[in-house]
Amino acid sequence: MADPARTRPDELTLEVVDLIASVVARYHEEYEEAAAEHALTGAQAKLLGLLTLEALPMRKLAQRLKCEPSNVTGIVDRLEARGLVARQPDPADRRVKVAVVTEEGRRVARSLRESLRFAREPLAGLSVDERVSLRGLLRRMLESAP
């Protein structure tokens, strides 16, 4: 049996990979533009988005953003100065500070997400069944990824 790691992908797989890469590139480009419209950098917008899901300590934010904790501290400092996030003691360990989104930060994050036309408009052209199918396929890809 051939080693899957050594077999070359077929043309269809290569085309799908290229299409995914194009979607990701366009999404990042539009995300950066949307962030700039809110006077945010892409990293600030991503951090703000993460905090709308849950309060997180700096260490976990750094892991999720794949950057150094010192970079996260600077990002949080700038967002805190704008009133978009705040630092609070972690209820589980009062020695640790967690970053939390403020109501204004939540409003900005929602506005940013709603302004992403690339993500919204093409998906609106798909039927509900097609979107459900696409969601299922993407979840399967992510679940099986190493």
Side-chain angles (χ1 to χ4, degrees), residues 29 33 35 60 87 95 109 119 134:
E29 182 180 315
E33 290 171 8
K60 284 195 179 174
R87 287 180 173 94
R95 297 169 296 173
L134 179 59

Side-chain angles (χ1 to χ4, degrees), residues 6-24:
R6 292 180 180 240
T7 58
R8 295 181 50 90
D10 60 89
E11 288 302 313
L12 176 59
T13 299
L14 291 174
E15 182 181 359
V16 170
V17 168
D18 287 344
L19 289 168
I20 291 170
S22 296
V23 167
V24 169

